[in-house]
Amino acid sequence: MTSALPDTLETLAVDRPAEHVARVSLVARAMAPAFFAELPAVFSALDADPAVRAIVVTGADGRFSYGLDLMAAAGSIGGVLGDPSAANREGFLRHVRDLQASITAVADCRTPVVAAVQGWCVGGGVDLATAADVRLASADALFSVREVRMAMVADLGSLQRLVGIVGDGHLRELALTGDDVPAAEAQRIGLVNRVVDTPAELETAAVDLATRIAGNSPLVTRGIKDVLDAERGPRVEAGLRYVAAWNAAFLPSADLQEAFTAFAEKRPPQFG
């Protein structure tokens, strides 16, 4: 049975740029609560559609994603900061696990997924890109595992999935610095497969790659993903559970409060 796409979408748009290829565009600049509800629903529907044999996920308006909407997230995080009781921490743990499940819906999609990254790909954007099977970028792309600069441990999948994408030293540098990594450097360390000059060329390259994938047996492409994920899936899941528990225990801190205050005041944070 084919699942239907949601009747209305607030943060995503879906079209069919080629036969057997679906494209999911992130129309919202950042990942608000609606995004985390819509993402698994859209990918579930496309994965259940036999006419879809490959999926391209991309951004809009010159960027991929600015990551988590910090103002929208302030409510759940602020609740734990204000009352770090066991009940609130447990609720926060469930909240993180729900957000993780939304991104994991992309990684668990049986249909191959190509991420086409232009412009900023920050925080949660990297989580999403690493949940795809293949990543392409335009020359203007900038990647950042930015959470460390907000006094957070990245907890939606980057630290777990980058293990199989870039080397350990590169992963640690990305996560420990929060530096902005340009497309050429991202290709050098293996974060992206290829870089093309312009966003228009990126769109063409991503759809072309998805079309080549879609031209193969869908039974076999899904089998390839299943085999490749047999090792990665349990490892990633264990890491996601661990980081969710770690953040539920330690995320509420004076450093986090300072990071959010500095963000609101548009100044560098001063950590103790």
Side-chain angles (χ1 to χ4, degrees), residues 17-43:
E19 186 178 11
H20 298 309
V21 175
R23 178 168 50 204
V24 179
S25 301
L26 284 64
V27 297
R29 294 164 62 87
M31 297 173 170
F35 169 84
F36 289 101
E38 292 178 356
L39 187 69
V42 166
F43 271 82

Side-chain angles (χ1 to χ4, degrees), residues 102-168:
S102 179
I103 300 296
T104 296
V106 177
D108 286 350
C109 181
R110 299 169 304 161
T111 306
V113 180
V114 176
V117 180
Q118 61 172 314
W120 284 103
C121 180
V122 177
V126 179
D127 294 316
L128 178 58
T130 57
D133 297 292
V134 181
R135 284 150 298 282
L136 307 180
S138 54
D140 68 339
L142 280 170
F143 299 82
S144 177
V145 183
R146 188 67 63 90
E147 287 85 349
V148 67
R149 290 162 63 177
M150 292 301 299
M152 298 177 180
V153 176
D155 59 9
L156 299 189
S158 288
L159 299 188
Q160 291 73 32
R161 295 188 175 99
L162 279 169
V163 170
I165 298 171
V166 303
D168 185 71

Side-chain angles (χ1 to χ4, degrees), residues 188-265:
R188 188 186 71 80
I189 66 175
L191 179 52
V192 300
N193 292 51
R194 286 190 298 284
V195 175
V196 297
D197 289 336
T198 68
E201 290 176 277
L202 175 66
E203 179 179 343
T204 300
V207 172
D208 178 68
L209 175 57
T211 299
R212 299 202 314 272
I213 293 171
N216 294 316
S217 161
L219 172 66
V220 172
T221 57
R222 291 178 173 188
I224 290 168
K225 287 197 61 169
D226 188 39
V227 171
L228 291 174
D229 290 343
E231 177 277 329
R232 185 178 78 160
R235 174 181 58 75
V236 169
E237 172 58 18
L240 290 173
R241 285 184 175 277
Y242 188 89
V243 72
W246 197 98
N247 270 351
F250 298 112
L251 183 65
S253 67
D255 284 347
L256 181 67
Q257 182 67 63
E258 165 62 11
F260 268 75
T261 301
F263 178 79
E265 295 176 356

